[in-house]
Amino acid sequence: QSGAIKIGTLTPLTGVGGTYGPSMRDAILGVVAQVNEAGGILGRQIEVASEDTQTSPEAAVRAARKLIDVDGVSAILGTWASSITTAVAPLAWESKTMLMCVSGADSITKLPHQGFICRTQPNSILQIQVAGDFMVAEGATQMAWIGPQTPFAASSIDILEQIAAANGAGMESLIYEADKSTYRSEVDQILRGKPDFIMLGGYAADSTVLLRDIWQAGYEGKIIGPAYAVNAGLLDTLPSAVTEGIYTWEGAPAVNSAAYANVKAILGVDEVDPYSAQTYDHASLTILAMAAGGDSSGDTVRQNVRSISQGDGQIVESAVDGLAALAGGINYSGASGPCDFNEIGDITGTQFVFKTISGGKPSEYKRV
Amino acid sequence: MLSYLLATLTFAGVYALLALGLNVIWGMAGMINLGLAGFFALGAYASALATVALGLPIIVGIVIAIAFAAAAGALLSRLTLNLRGDYLAIVTLGFSEVIRLIAANEIWLTNGSDGIPGIPGPLRGTLTPLEFNALSCALLFAAVGLAWWMTERLRRAPFGRALRAIRDDETAAAVAGKPVRRYKVQAFAIGAGLLGLAGAAYAHFTSYVAPDIFRPLLTIYIFLALTAGGTGNTSGAVIGAFFVILILEGSRFIEPLFHGLSGAQGAALREIIIGSSLILIMRIRPQGLLAERPPKSLRTQ
Amino acid sequence: MQAGTITGLIGPNGAGKTTVFNCLSGVIPAEAGQITFDGTQITTWRPEQISQRGLVRTFQIARGFPRLTVLETLLLHGEAQPGEDVVAALFSPGRWRKREAELITRAEEVAAQLNLTHVLDNMSSDLSGGQKKLLEIGRALMGRPKLILLDEPVAGVNPTLSGEIAERIAALRETGLTFLVVEHDMEIVARLCDPVIVMAAGAKLTEGSFEEVVSDPRVQDAYLGQRA
Amino acid sequence: MDLIPQLLVNGIISGALLAIPAIGFTAIFAVLRFPNFSVASLATIGAFAGYAANVGLGLPAVPALVAAFMVAGLVGLASDEIALRPLRPYGALTAAIASIALTIVLENMVRFGFGNDLRGYDLPLVRDWRIMGVRVGPQQVQNLALALVIMAGVFAALKFSRIGKAMRAVADNPTLAELKGIDPVRVGRLTVFVAMGLVGAGGMLLGLGTSIDPLTGFRFILPIFAAAVVGGLGSIPGAALGAMVVGIGEELSLLVLSPAYKSAVGFIAIVLVLAFRPRGLLGERAY
Amino acid sequence: MMFQATDVVGGYSAADEILKGLTITADAGEIVAIVGPNGAGKSTFLKAVTGVLPELKGHIELYGTKLNGRRPRQIAQMGVAYVPQENNVFATMTVRENLEMGGYIASDPAQRISEMFERFPILAEKRGDAARTLSGGQRQILAMAIAMMVSPRLLLLDEPSAGLSPIAATQLFETIREIAAQQVSVLLVEQNAMDALNMCDRAYILTAGQNHVTGSGAHLAADPDIRRTFLGG
Ligand SMILES: Nc1ncnc2c1ncn2[C@@H]1O[C@H](COP(=O)(O)OP(=O)(O)OP(=O)(O)O)[C@@H](O)[C@H]1O
Ligand SMILES: Nc1ncnc2c1ncn2[C@@H]1O[C@H](COP(=O)(O)OP(=O)(O)OP(=O)(O)O)[C@@H](O)[C@H]1O
Ligand SMILES: [Mg+2]
Ligand SMILES: [Mg+2]
C-alpha cells in the first residue's frame, strides 16, 4: 500500500450542533498536522477528509457514504448527536470503518457494532450519577432537572429520582421543547417546586436562554450544568451576574496535562470545550492504533485501540510522543481523560471534574 | 466510488418518490403541503415498527407504511378542506412538527429520540455493502418507475384534468360539477401514500429512523427539487430530485478547492453553493427544467 | 320558472341579478328562503351537487382556468367521463379514451359554433374578452344540463355572433332545455325571452312578456331610459 | 387557577416579540403577494448587525436597533433585487420557494463571516418586577411597547398614506397600477426595505433575550409564519394579533400538556382558529 | 394628426403576431370607433398603445412624441388614459381608494373625486366598499371614473358599455361626447357597434389584426355588407 492514509471527520458544522463542530474538527486537523510534520506514520502522510453532518442524520448518512466510499477513510471521527452516531454506525461496521463519537446516549454502545465504535464521552448514566451524588453532597434537599427531549433526558430524570429518594430529597423534572425564544413559563413551573439545586439538561443555545430566565425569575439556589453546555461561548454571552456560582461538570479533562495544553495551543483558546478535547483524543488514538498494528485499515484501529490506550506502557499524551515511544509499549492518556475503553467501547475509569463559575470564569472546584 | 454512486442514486430515488408525492398534492391539485417530513416520518416509523417490533416481512411493512400515510393524508385533507394556499401550508407544516414531537416524546412507542436502529433491509448482512447498495438502488428505481407511471397516467387522464381545474379555480371547478372535496382528499391521500413509501424505503435502506431525520430541511429540499424540475410535470419531479441530490452531493467536491477556510466557513460555502445553484436554476428556467404542459389531447392523434 | 322556457332577468346595475345566480348555483349560501329545482330542495347544496343535478351557470366576469386549454376547459364540462374516477383513470384507460373521443367531437362542434376553433389550444386565460364570454357559454353547452343560467352571455360579443348565439339558445329550448338569462342587450331579450322578470334593488319589480314589461313606466325610468 | 395571569403575561411578552417580524413578513405578503421565507435569515442578519453595532462599536440599544433595521433593510432589498424580483412574474410559489433557497444562502453568509459561536449583546440585565404576584421583565415590557408602536405606525402608513395606498394598489393589480402612473418596482423596493428592516429589528429584539448565532432567525420562522397566517396573511393588525394568539396559546398549553408539546398545542390552536376563520382572524373573506 | 399609429405589428410573445400591421389615427377632439369580430385584435391594439404589450414593432406617436418603447407609467404621464376591458379596477381597495389611485398623477385629485361622486352617484353611495363587491355594471362605471380622474389628451376605452344597463349606457355615451368636446381624442372599442358607429366621427373595422375598412361612422353603419358581417344584421 502507498499513498496517504485517509481519516475522516464528521462533525456538525451547520445546524443545531454547529456551535461545537468546527473546533472539534480543528482539534483533529491539529493532531494530524503535528504527526505529518513529524514524518507521518507507516512511512506515509495522513490526509483528512472533512464532512458536515448538518446536524441531520439523513445528511450525515450521505456524508458518511462519501467518506467511506469515495475518500476511503478507515476511521470516522467526531460524530456528535446520538441520532447521528446511530445512523452512521451500520455503515461503519459493515464497511469495517472505525467510528469514534462524543455521543453519550446509553444505547449507542449496545448496537451490534463488533468493536467498530468507541466513545470518549462517558455514557449518560454515569455522568448523571456522578452529578447527582455531587448535588446531594452539596446539600441539595429539593432537586430539579430541566432540559429538552434528548436520548438521555428520560434516564437522567430516572437516575436523579433514585438518588433523591435514597437521600430523602425531593425531585422535580420538566422536559421542554428546544429552540424557543423564552422559557419563562417553564421556569415558573419548575420553580414552583421550590428547588434548591437545579440541573440543566440542554446544550449551550437553550441553556443560555434558560439561565437568563432563571436569573430574571429571582432564583437564588444552586445550578449545575454540563460543561459542554455551560461553555466558554455561554459564559461570554451572558452577563457574569447570571452565571455567578453555577457548577459545571465533565469527564475530567487532564487540565494540567501536556495533552490539554496541546489542544489549547492547536485551537488557540484558554478553555477547551470537552468535545474538542475528545476529538483530539480520537485522532491520536486512531493514529497510534494504526501505527501499532502496522496497517492503516479500520480493522487495525479496532484491534489496537485498546492496546495503546491502557495497560502498563509508558504514559503518552500526544500522537507524536506516542509514535516515538511505541516500540516499548504505551498507554495513551489524552486531553479528555485516560481513554480506557471496556469491551463494548464505553470509556471507563473516567474522573470527573466539577468547576464553579465566578466572574464569568470557571475554576476547578472538586474532582471525583 | 461505485458504492457511493449507488447509495447516492438510492437517496435520489427516495427524493424522487417524495417529489412525485408532492407533485400529486401540490403540482397537480394545488394544495401546498409543507408537511412532507411528517408523512415521510409516518411511513418510516410504520414500516420500522411493523418489521422490528412485530417482526413482519419488509414488504408487509411497506404496504402498511403506504396505507398509514395515505390514511393520515386523507384525514388531514378532510379536516382542512376549506383552507387554501398558505393557510393549508401552515397547518401541514404544523402537522409534521407534531409528528416529530410525538416521535421524540412517546418513548413507549417510538423509542424516543434514541430512534429505532436495526431495521431490516432486503438481504442486508448476506450481501456485501456494495451488493446491498446495488440491490437497494435497483429496487428504488423500480419503485420510482412505478410511481412515475402511475402518477403520469393519472395526470393524463380526465382525473388529472379535473385536479388541475381545481388547482386553478376551485369555485369554477365546483360549478363545473366536479366533486371538489372528494378530489382533494383523493389527491392528498395518493400523494401522502407515495411520501409514506419514500419513508419506508428510507428506513429499510439506512436501517435507522429517529425524530431528527424529519426536520423541515428535508421538506425544503423536496420543494426546491419539484420547483427546479417543473411543478406539475411528473418527469420534472424526478429530474428535479436527481438535480437536487446532484447539487447536494456535488457541492462536497467543490468546497475542498477553496483553501484556508475554517470548518464553519467551508460548510457555509458549501451551503451557499447549494442555495445559489438552486436560485440560479430558477432564474434560468423559472418554469422548471421541464415546464408543465397540458397532456397531449387525443384530438391531435 | 317553467320548464322549456327562456326567462329573462333584467334590472339596473347592482339590482342583484348576479347575486341571484350565486345563490341558485350554491356559490354563496342563501340566508333565508328556499330553492327548489326539478322537484328537489337544493337550498343548502354545494355547487358541484347542484350542477350534477343539471343546473349549470356561466359567470358574468369570465373565470378561465389559467392552465387549462380551451379544449380542456370544454372537455372538463363534458358529463359522464369515467376517467374522472381515480380507479378508472388508472386501470381502464380504454373506457375513458372512448368517452373522451366522443367528448372531443362534441367540444369541436361547440367550439365551431362559438368561433373558437382556432383558439382551442390556447390557454383559457389567453383569450380576448369576447372569446372568454363565448367560452363561458361553451362550458354550459358541453354538459347535459336541464337548466342553464346565463349571466350576460353576449356582453362584449360581436353582434353578428350574438345573433347566432341567440338562435342556438332558441334551438336548445326546443329540445326541452330551460334558460334563465341575464342580459342588458334588449334586442336579444326581446328576441328570446318570455317571460321577463325585472329586478330592482334586490327585489322583483314586475314580471311579464317583454312588451308588457318595457311598457311599464317604472321599468323605463329605472332601467331603459329614452331607449325604450 | 392562580397560574393563568402569569401565563397570560408570559404569552403576551413572547407574542410581542414575534409580532414585529411577523408584521414585516405580512407586509411583504400584503404588497408582493408571496410568503417571503427569507425573513428567517434577515432576522439573523439584523441580530448580527445590532450585535456588531452594540458590541463592536459600543453603541447603546436604540442606535444598535437602528443599525439592525438599516442593514437588514438594505440586505433584504439587495437580495430581493437579485434573487426574487425577477421570479415574481412566475407566480407566488416560485418566489416563495426561491426565498427559501435565498435564506440558505444568506444564513450561510452570516456563518461564513461570524462562525457558529453563540454571541450575546452587551446590555444590562435586570431582574423581573413583581406586580401583584405576577412577574414581568422590564426588557419585555419595552419590547411590547415597541411592537405596539411599530404596528400602529405601519398600519397607519399602509392605510392612509399615499405611498401606502400605492403599495396596496400594486399588490392588487400591478398592471393597472402602472397604467395609472405608479411605479410598481419602486413601490416594491420600498416595501421590501421597510419590511426587512422591521424583520431585522425584530431579530435583534429576539436576540436580546436569547443569544444569537446563524440559526437565530430560522428558529423563529415557524411561529412567525404561523402568526401571520392566524392573523390573516397581509393584515398588519392581524399579524400582531396572530402573534399574540401563538404566544398566549403556547404558554397556556402548559396547563394541559407537557411543555415538550408546546408548539404542538400552538398548532392545534391555529387549526382551531382556521377552522372557524379559514382566512385568518382579520383576513379577507372567502368570497 | 394628433394621434398616429402606423404599421403596428405585435403580440403576446415573440412567436405570435396578433397585430399584423395596423394603422389608426385620431385628431384632437375626435371620437374614433374601433369595431370588429371577437379576437380581431382590438384590445391588443390598445395594449400596444399603452405600453402593456410585450412585443411591438411599428410606430405610435402622440403630438409628435413617440410612445412605443416607453413604460406604461411614462405613457400615462404623457396624457394617455385607458380603461382596460378586464381587470380594470383595484378589487381589494375601496371605491374611494380606487379613484385616488386613478388620480395618482393628477394635480387636484380631491376635487376630481367629488366631481366623480357627483357624476356617478352610485360610486358615492359605495365609496367605502371594496371594488370586489361591486356588481359587473358598477365595476364598469368605476373603471370609467378611474380613467376620468386625470385630464388626458388621449382616452382609450375598451368596451366601456359592456354590462351596463341601457340607461347607463346612454349616459356613458353622453359622457364620452362631453370629454371629446374638450379636445380629447377618444379611441372607442365597442361591441355595441351600432351605438358606437352612430356616435363616432370616424370608425375602423378590424379583422384578424388588420385594417378591414375605415370611414365615417354613419357611412359604415349604412353599408349592408358591413351590417351583415359585423353588425348582426
Ligand atoms: N361579494 C359581495 N359583497 C358585498 N356586496 C356585494 C357583493 N357582490 C355584489 N354585492 C352588491 O350586491 C348588489 C347586487 O349585485 P349583483 O352583482 O347581483 O348585481 P347585478 O344585478 O348582477 O348587476 P349588473 O347588471 O351590474 O351585473 C350590488 O349593490 C353589489 O354592490
Ligand atoms: N394574454 C394573451 N396571450 C395570448 N394570446 C392572447 C392573449 N390575449 C388575447 N390573445 C389572443 O389575441 C387575439 C386578439 O385578442 P384581442 O383581445 O385583441 O381581441 P379583441 O379584438 O379585443 O376581441 P374582443 O372583442 O373579444 O375583446 C385573440 O385571438 C386572442 O385569442
Ligand atoms: Mg351582474
Ligand atoms: Mg377586447
Side-chain angles (χ1 to χ4, degrees):
Chain A
Q1 268 179 323
S2 60
I5 293 169
K6 295 281 187 71
I7 59 178
T9 75
L10 189 56
T11 58
L13 302 175
T14 59
V16 198
T19 5
Y20 300 117
S23 73
M24 292 164 70
R25 170 180 174 272
D26 289 345
I28 295 169
L29 292 177
V31 172
V32 169
Q34 290 176 349
V35 170
N36 281 340
E37 203 167 304
I41 51 167
L42 310 175
R44 294 152 70 187
Q45 292 278 296
I46 304 171
E47 238 173 55
V48 178
S50 283
E51 289 297 335
D52 176 12
T53 66
Q54 299 179 258
T55 328
S56 148
E58 190 264 340
V61 168
R62 284 189 281 113
R65 282 248 77 99
K66 186 255 182 185
L67 287 175
I68 293 170
D69 297 331
V70 179
D71 298 313
V73 302
S74 39
I76 292 177
L77 311 180
T79 54
W80 176 74
S82 302
S83 58
I84 284 172
T85 305
T86 316
V88 172
L91 309 191
W93 75 65
E94 281 170 4
S95 63
K96 305 201 182 314
T97 305
M98 191 69 194
L99 177 64
M100 297 194 188
C101 71
V102 303
S103 313
D106 307 322
S107 57
I108 285 172
T109 42
K110 297 187 185 129
L111 294 168
H113 60 74
Q114 305 148 32
F116 282 102
I117 295 180
C118 66
R119 64 167 152 208
T120 43
Q121 175 86 331
N123 75 24
S124 50
I125 294 190
L126 184 57
Q127 292 185 53
I128 302 296
Q129 201 105 47
V130 172
D133 291 341
F134 172 83
M135 289 164 81
V136 172
E138 293 296 313
T141 59
Q142 182 63 37
M143 299 159 59
W145 184 95
I146 179 167
Q149 184 61 270
T150 60
F152 45 88
S155 57
S156 302
I157 294 170
D158 279 353
I159 294 165
L160 287 188
E161 269 168 0
Q162 285 164 19
I163 294 175
N167 293 282
M171 160 71 191
E172 303 256 348
S173 64
L174 183 149
I175 297 181
Y176 58 76
E177 202 185 325
D179 292 345
K180 291 279 168 197
S181 61
T182 152
Y183 298 109
R184 299 172 71 83
S185 299
E186 286 85 343
V187 166
D188 284 340
Q189 186 162 329
I190 201 79
L191 292 187
R192 215 166 302 126
K194 305 231 175 303
D196 54 11
F197 212 138
I198 300 177
M199 179 188 280
L200 307 179
Y203 296 104
D206 43 352
S207 295
T208 313
V209 181
L210 198 58
L211 284 174
R212 189 193 299 259
D213 283 337
I214 291 176
W215 184 81
Q216 282 194 321
Y219 173 73
E220 303 280 1
K222 295 175 180 161
I223 299 174
I224 183 168
Y228 59 74
V230 185
N231 61 3
L234 178 143
L235 295 175
D236 229 30
T237 303
L238 288 173
S240 55
V242 174
T243 53
E244 193 64 26
I246 294 179
Y247 297 98
T248 71
W249 92 107
E250 65 196 287
V255 186
N256 300 318
S257 67
Y260 195 83
N262 200 0
V263 195
K264 280 208 277 196
I266 288 172
L267 299 179
V269 295
D270 292 337
E271 192 67 37
V272 175
D273 202 297
Y275 293 137
S276 304
Q278 291 178 40
T279 55
Y280 170 89
D281 294 341
H282 292 174
S284 306
L285 289 164
T286 304
I287 290 167
L288 289 173
M290 283 176 178
D295 175 51
S296 64
S297 74
D299 204 31
T300 311
V301 179
R302 171 179 76 140
Q303 282 166 14
N304 293 284
V305 69
R306 287 171 184 78
S307 70
I308 48 111
S309 63
Q310 45 218 61
D312 309 324
Q314 183 192 338
I315 301 278
V316 294
E317 301 197 346
S318 77
V320 174
D321 291 349
L323 290 172
L326 197 56
I330 55 169
N331 178 352
Y332 175 80
S333 177
S336 69
C339 295
D340 299 344
F341 303 101
N342 66 9
E343 58 292 346
I344 62 167
D346 269 336
I347 195 126
T348 61
T350 320
Q351 268 203 325
F352 286 86
V353 60
F354 290 85
K355 300 180 184 171
T356 56
I357 314 293
S358 108
K361 290 260 166 285
S363 56
E364 186 162 335
Y365 180 71
K366 190 171 175 181
R367 274 172 185 264
V368 290
Chain B
M1 188 70 190
L2 179 61
S3 185
Y4 166 72
L5 284 179
L6 289 170
T8 303
L9 284 173
T10 311
F11 277 109
V14 172
Y15 276 42
L17 284 177
L18 287 166
L20 283 170
L22 178 62
N23 189 44
V24 175
I25 299 174
W26 175 44
M28 287 161 63
M31 294 176 280
I32 308 177
N33 177 5
L34 286 185
L36 299 185
F39 294 101
F40 186 65
L42 280 180
Y45 270 99
S47 197
L49 288 171
T51 50
V52 174
L54 306 179
L56 296 173
I58 295 176
I59 183 72
V60 179
I62 291 178
V63 172
I64 291 177
I66 296 174
F68 202 63
L75 189 70
L76 185 66
S77 62
R78 187 70 197 71
L79 290 176
T80 54
L81 273 177
N82 49 3
L83 295 186
R84 302 205 182 154
D86 308 291
Y87 296 88
L88 180 61
I90 191 69
V91 171
T92 48
L93 185 60
F95 165 82
S96 89
E97 286 296 284
V98 170
I99 296 288
R100 190 167 62 81
L101 287 178
I102 291 174
N105 289 300
E106 298 310 311
I107 299 171
W108 58 275
L109 178 67
T110 62
N111 204 26
S113 37
D114 264 342
I116 304 174
I119 302 166
L123 299 179
R124 189 174 202 129
T126 354
L127 299 177
T128 66
L130 176 66
E131 287 165 352
F132 177 73
N133 284 349
L135 177 65
S136 307
C137 186
L139 288 175
L140 258 151
F141 271 56
V144 170
L146 192 69
W148 179 89
W149 176 82
M150 194 187 90
T151 53
E152 179 65 11
R153 205 169 162 104
L154 285 177
R155 189 179 81 86
R156 287 170 185 276
F159 177 78
R161 181 166 68 214
L163 287 188
R164 280 182 297 135
I166 290 169
R167 175 189 70 187
D168 283 358
D169 186 339
E170 224 172 88
T171 310
V175 168
K178 305 303 152 208
V180 173
R181 294 153 164 257
R182 197 178 76 208
Y183 274 113
K184 285 170 95 173
V185 172
Q186 281 176 350
F188 211 109
I190 293 171
L194 289 176
L195 301 176
L197 170 63
Y202 177 88
H204 292 293
F205 173 55
T206 65
S207 84
Y208 176 60
V209 295
D212 278 350
I213 299 170
F214 308 105
R215 289 188 179 273
L217 186 68
L218 189 70
T219 304
I220 293 175
Y221 284 155
I222 301 305
F223 262 86
L224 288 166
L226 186 53
T227 312
T231 317
N233 185 310
T234 317
S235 307
V238 176
I239 288 180
F242 279 77
F243 183 75
V244 163
I245 284 282
L246 179 75
I247 295 177
L248 290 181
E249 288 299 313
S251 56
R252 288 187 204 290
F253 299 92
I254 299 179
E255 180 205 320
L257 304 180
F258 296 83
H259 294 287
L261 297 182
S262 75
Q265 282 177 329
L269 182 70
R270 174 170 167 236
E271 302 224 353
I272 291 173
I273 294 172
I274 293 173
S276 317
S277 331
L278 288 165
I279 293 174
L280 201 66
I281 192 75
M282 289 167 88
R283 283 286 307 268
I284 297 172
R285 297 199 61 104
Q287 326 272 30
L289 292 166
L290 297 181
E292 181 188 16
R293 259 183 237 100
K296 243 206 255 141
S297 87
L298 297 172
R299 187 168 71 108
T300 46
Q301 284 164 13
Chain C
M1 275 168 55
Q2 291 291 315
T5 59
I6 302 177
T7 306
L9 180 60
I10 61 172
N13 295 122
K17 307 179 293 295
T18 302
T19 310
V20 167
F21 275 27
N22 283 339
C23 287
L24 295 181
S25 60
V27 172
I28 59 180
E31 267 168 31
Q34 292 189 351
I35 305 168
T36 312
F37 169 60
D38 205 12
T40 321
Q41 261 272 38
I42 58 164
T43 318
T44 55
W45 287 23
R46 286 196 304 275
E48 65 265 26
Q49 296 173 308
I50 294 173
S51 33
Q52 281 162 1
R53 184 76 211 222
L55 191 165
V56 305
R57 68 166 297 180
T58 65
F59 288 97
Q60 179 179 6
I61 297 172
R63 298 177 86 133
F65 298 106
R67 286 194 286 178
L68 254 54
T69 63
V70 171
L71 177 65
E72 286 181 302
T73 308
L74 291 174
L75 293 177
L76 183 77
H77 289 73
E79 93 287 13
Q81 169 51 281
E84 290 188 349
D85 181 75
V86 59
V87 179
L90 267 184
F91 301 111
S92 23
R95 250 176 71 209
W96 70 255
R97 291 227 171 91
K98 195 162 141 277
R99 177 69 185 140
E100 188 84 343
E102 295 165 17
L103 287 175
I104 288 174
T105 319
R106 263 261 294 299
E108 283 173 339
E109 278 167 31
V110 169
Q113 278 163 2
L114 298 171
N115 278 358
L116 290 173
T117 305
H118 64 291
V119 289
L120 271 176
D121 290 328
N122 275 31
M123 289 296 160
S124 63
S125 51
D126 293 352
L127 290 180
S128 81
Q131 288 166 337
K132 283 181 188 164
K133 301 286 310 192
L134 293 169
L135 181 56
E136 284 291 322
I137 299 173
R139 292 157 74 147
L141 297 182
M142 274 304 288
R144 286 268 179 259
K146 297 181 184 139
L147 169 60
I148 300 183
L149 313 180
L150 297 172
D151 200 348
E152 304 199 14
V154 302
V157 174
N158 179 265
T160 307
L161 193 49
S162 312
E164 291 168 22
I165 291 171
E167 272 164 37
R168 166 107 175 124
I169 293 174
L172 282 169
R173 188 249 320 262
E174 297 308 317
T175 70
L177 264 172
T178 312
F179 288 88
L180 178 60
V181 181
V182 169
E183 189 49 72
H184 291 301
D185 183 335
M186 286 305 113
E187 263 176 60
I188 298 288
V189 177
R191 246 165 87 183
L192 282 180
C193 302
D194 191 34
V196 174
I197 300 172
V198 185
M199 276 186 77
K204 185 149 117 182
L205 191 66
T206 174
E207 177 174 349
S209 71
F210 181 73
E211 286 72 27
E212 281 164 27
V213 301
V214 295
S215 53
D216 185 326
R218 288 175 303 170
V219 177
Q220 293 186 356
D221 269 7
Y223 183 61
L224 296 169
Q226 324 102 317
R227 294 190 171 214
Chain D
M1 282 233 244
D2 54 341
L3 263 180
I4 293 178
Q6 179 70 59
L7 290 179
L8 280 177
V9 167
N10 292 353
I12 290 171
I13 287 169
S14 46
L17 273 182
L18 278 182
I20 299 171
I23 288 171
F25 179 84
T26 219
I28 292 187
F29 188 92
V31 176
L32 301 174
R33 293 280 147 187
F34 76 106
N36 188 337
F37 292 107
S38 72
V39 296
S41 52
L42 284 148
T44 310
I45 286 172
F48 272 87
Y51 168 83
N54 170 240
V55 177
L57 307 177
L59 298 176
V62 172
L65 208 54
V66 174
F69 181 96
M70 294 302 295
V71 172
L74 289 173
V75 175
L77 183 57
S79 58
D80 186 77
E81 285 293 307
I82 296 166
L84 303 184
R85 185 161 73 83
L87 287 175
R88 284 205 277 272
Y90 299 93
L93 276 160
T94 306
I97 307 284
S99 76
I100 297 178
L102 177 62
T103 216
I104 296 179
V105 174
L106 292 178
E107 175 194 309
N108 282 287
M109 287 183 161
V110 173
R111 180 170 287 124
F112 197 94
F114 290 84
N116 284 325
D117 296 342
L118 297 180
R119 288 153 202 272
Y121 296 89
D122 188 10
L123 294 171
L125 203 59
V126 208
R127 294 222 184 195
D128 286 350
W129 300 324
R130 262 180 203 284
I131 303 166
M132 303 194 318
V134 174
R135 159 169 108 67
V136 205
Q139 171 72 53
Q140 282 80 1
V141 173
Q142 230 176 57
N143 291 348
L144 179 63
L146 212 62
L148 288 177
V149 170
I150 290 177
M151 185 193 95
V154 177
F155 178 69
L158 262 182
K159 185 85 187 162
F160 303 115
S161 79
R162 185 174 128 96
I163 183 76
K165 285 179 197 167
M167 284 179 179
R168 283 189 291 134
V170 170
D172 185 300
N173 190 338
T175 317
L176 187 61
E178 181 152 25
L179 284 167
K180 297 302 162 201
I182 301 170
D183 184 346
V185 174
R186 256 187 50 202
V187 165
R189 284 186 186 140
L190 183 71
T191 311
V192 170
F193 174 75
V194 173
M196 287 308 186
L198 285 178
V199 167
M204 173 171 165
L205 290 177
L206 278 169
L208 286 182
T210 57
S211 55
I212 61 170
D213 67 11
L215 286 173
T216 293
F218 197 79
R219 282 193 193 102
F220 299 110
I221 184 65
L222 238 96
I224 289 173
F225 185 33
V229 166
V230 167
L233 274 168
S235 159
I236 304 288
L241 190 62
M244 289 299 160
V245 170
V246 172
I248 295 175
E250 288 197 348
E251 297 305 317
L252 289 184
S253 77
L254 297 188
L255 292 174
V256 287
L257 253 186
S258 144
Y261 280 110
K262 206 173 188 181
S263 47
V265 177
F267 273 112
I268 290 168
I270 291 169
V271 172
L272 282 180
V273 168
L274 292 180
F276 293 102
R277 303 212 37 124
R279 302 270 164 130
L281 290 171
L282 301 182
E284 301 142 19
R285 283 277 294 285
Y287 36 71
Chain E
M1 278 293 149
M2 172 206 136
F3 170 77
Q4 200 153 11
T6 1
D7 296 327
V8 176
V9 173
Y12 293 89
S13 65
D16 60 7
E17 261 187 20
I18 306 281
L19 306 179
K20 305 192 181 75
L22 272 183
T23 297
I24 286 175
T25 63
D27 226 335
E30 194 181 25
I31 300 178
V32 174
I34 303 177
V35 296
N38 294 115
K42 305 179 294 294
S43 304
T44 307
F45 175 71
L46 296 192
K47 288 182 199 166
V49 175
T50 51
V52 181
L53 199 68
E55 296 291 330
L56 184 60
K57 291 194 270 298
H59 188 82
I60 306 175
E61 65 170 48
L62 181 67
Y63 282 116
T65 320
K66 192 170 165 208
L67 291 187
N68 44 343
R70 294 179 197 265
R71 304 282 316 156
R73 177 168 41 88
Q74 297 164 323
I75 294 175
Q77 249 138 8
M78 291 169 61
V80 178
Y82 169 43
V83 179
Q85 184 173 10
E86 305 173 298
N87 295 324
N88 46 21
V89 298
F90 298 104
T92 59
M93 301 175 82
T94 65
V95 166
R96 200 194 154 86
E97 287 169 342
N98 265 279
L99 294 177
E100 287 173 22
M101 290 304 110
Y104 193 76
I105 51 173
S107 47
D108 51 348
Q111 195 205 322
R112 281 196 176 253
I113 289 176
S114 33
E115 272 173 42
M116 290 305 140
F117 283 161
E118 232 165 85
R119 190 188 279 272
F120 306 109
I122 182 67
L123 297 184
E125 197 182 302
K126 299 249 168 201
R127 70 179 81 196
D129 291 0
R132 154 176 72 84
T133 69
L134 297 182
S135 80
Q138 293 164 345
R139 241 181 218 243
Q140 203 59 32
I141 294 170
L142 176 60
M144 185 73 197
I146 291 175
M148 288 168 64
M149 283 294 297
V150 290
S151 342
R153 295 190 286 179
L154 174 66
L155 178 62
L156 310 174
L157 301 172
D158 201 346
E159 306 202 15
S161 79
L164 291 188
S165 71
I167 191 170
T170 313
Q171 284 165 2
L172 174 88
F173 288 129
E174 264 162 35
T175 309
I176 294 172
R177 268 195 216 99
E178 279 172 35
I179 295 173
Q182 294 158 2
Q183 291 305 299
V184 177
S185 319
V186 178
L187 292 187
L188 174 64
V189 170
E190 263 299 341
Q191 287 299 2
N192 202 343
M194 282 316 276
D195 287 331
L197 291 183
N198 285 331
M199 75 169 290
C200 71
D201 300 304
R202 226 151 38 80
Y204 291 85
I205 294 183
L206 306 187
T207 50
Q210 284 166 320
N211 293 66
H212 183 73
V213 278
T214 163
S216 83
H219 180 81
L220 292 178
D223 183 323
D225 248 12
I226 290 178
R227 285 183 75 98
R228 190 162 13 84
T229 25
F230 300 108
L231 309 178

